[in-house]
Amino acid sequence: DFVRLHRERPFFLSWWNYSVHYPFQAPKALIEKYESRKGPGNENPTYSAMIEGMDRSIGRFLNRLDELNLASNTLVIFKSDNGSFGVDVAPLRGQKGYLWEGGIRVPWIVRWPGLIQPGTICSEPVIRTDVYPTLVEVAGLKPKKALDGVSLLPLFKGERQLGRDAVYFHYPNYAFHKDNRLGSAIREGDYKLIRRYDDGSLELYNLANDLGERTNLEAQLPQLAMRLNSKLGHWLSRVGAQMPVRP
C-alpha cells in the first residue's frame, strides 16, 4: 500500500474520499443498521451509513500508520466538503451553496501524536486556504508565491490565536440547486457580515450568541456593518475577485 511503500522517506497523500456525497449509496447491512435508529440526527439512514463507511476506511488508514510506527511523525488533517444537502444541520442555518454557517462551517480534525495533545479543542476560525502554508512550513520549505492563508502550526503547538484579524468568503455564482443568493462574507472575531449582490443588502450576525444567524444586527450596529463591508470590499479588490455579471 501507499504508506508502506513510502515509509522510508517523507510522503504526502491527498485522499479525497467521495463519501459523504451524492449519490447516496452504502452497504445494505449498514443501511439496515441505521434504519432501526431513524430519528432526529438520523433522518436519512443511507447518509448515516455512508458516514460510518467513511469512518471505517479512515480508521484502516490510521491503524496502518500505527502498525508502521509512523503515527508520531505524521500530520493528518481531516476536513469536510462544505455544506450539507437534505440533512438537518441545526442549529446552523442554510445548506450547500449558502453563505450562512450551514453552507460554509465544516469540521476539522487534526492528528499529530508527536505534537498535538489528544482531545484538544480549538475555537480559532481557520479556512481551507490555510492548508498549503501549513504543509509548507511543516515540511521545512518556503512558499514560492504570496499566500491567501496562514500556517496553522502555532495552533498545533498550543497557541490559542493566529494573529489574523479576519477570514473571507466569496461565492458569486449559483450552486447546483440555484436557491442561493450570490454574495461575499467576512468574519472578524464573533461578528460575520454577508453582502448580497442581488439587492446590495447586508446581514450582520454575532455568531457567539446567534450561531443560527436569525437576528440581523445591521440596523442596530450600522457603523460596524459599514466598516466590515468596507474591509470586505478592500479584500475583494486586493485579490482580484471575479464579480457576478448581470445577463
Side-chain angles (χ1 to χ4, degrees):
D1 55 44
F2 179 90
V3 175
R4 180 179 58 80
L5 293 174
H6 295 81
R7 62 179 298 186
E8 301 300 332
R9 56 191 177 90
F11 65 86
F12 169 75
L13 171 63
S14 180
W15 178 15
W16 301 91
N17 197 321
Y18 193 80
S19 294
V20 176
H21 205 281
Y22 275 121
F24 287 171
Q25 299 173 328
K28 181 179 179 181
L30 279 181
I31 296 175
E32 292 175 347
K33 171 183 175 180
Y34 287 98
E35 283 281 4
S36 64
R37 305 178 184 180
K38 194 170 183 180
N42 178 34
E43 295 87 354
N44 186 328
T46 303
Y47 189 90
S48 299
M50 290 180 74
I51 293 176
E52 181 170 336
M54 178 190 67
D55 287 348
R56 288 180 178 183
S57 62
I58 294 173
R60 288 196 295 270
F61 170 75
L62 295 179
N63 288 339
R64 192 61 168 158
L65 291 178
D66 292 335
E67 292 169 4
L68 296 173
N69 296 316
L70 294 174
S72 63
N73 196 37
T74 302
L75 167 63
V76 178
I77 300 176
F78 169 88
K79 51 190 180 64
S80 170
D81 189 7
N82 67 291
S84 68
F85 188 72
V87 178
D88 184 16
V89 291
L92 304 184
R93 182 182 182 186
Q95 58 185 338
K96 196 172 190 68
Y98 287 71
L99 285 169
W100 291 314
E101 292 297 283
I104 62 177
R105 178 181 287 243
V106 300
W108 285 52
I109 302 174
V110 181
R111 191 184 90 154
W112 195 354
L115 182 67
I116 301 174
Q117 289 295 320
T120 301
I121 297 176
C122 179
S123 59
E124 177 75 4
V126 299
I127 198 165
R128 195 162 297 186
T129 49
D130 294 334
V131 173
Y132 174 66
T134 300
L135 296 180
V136 168
E137 183 175 6
V138 168
L141 304 174
K142 297 291 184 180
K144 296 182 179 180
K145 59 180 181 179
L147 303 175
D148 292 325
V150 300
S151 172
L152 302 179
L153 199 56
L155 296 183
F156 298 166
K157 293 179 178 179
E159 299 179 24
R160 306 311 301 172
Q161 295 181 333
L162 292 172
R164 172 169 56 194
D165 63 347
V167 290
Y168 301 88
F169 305 87
H170 182 53
Y171 199 51
N173 52 283
Y174 289 103
F176 67 94
H177 49 67
K178 302 294 190 297
D179 289 332
N180 61 298
R181 296 172 65 189
L182 312 190
S184 302
I186 174 175
R187 174 172 176 178
E188 182 185 88
D190 291 330
Y191 286 96
K192 174 182 168 186
L193 178 113
I194 302 176
R195 177 198 290 181
R196 304 294 186 181
Y197 291 125
D198 52 359
D199 60 4
S201 62
L202 301 176
E203 298 173 24
L204 177 65
Y205 303 103
N206 184 335
L207 297 180
N209 53 35
D210 183 22
L211 190 58
E213 297 169 288
R214 301 296 178 181
T215 304
N216 184 359
L217 302 174
E218 188 267 338
Q220 299 177 38
L221 301 171
Q223 291 184 330
L224 177 59
M226 289 178 60
R227 183 178 66 79
L228 291 178
N229 189 40
S230 176
K231 189 172 183 177
L232 174 60
H234 285 302
W235 175 79
L236 291 167
S237 177
R238 178 170 60 84
V239 301
Q242 294 186 348
M243 306 304 289
V245 177
R246 292 187 180 278

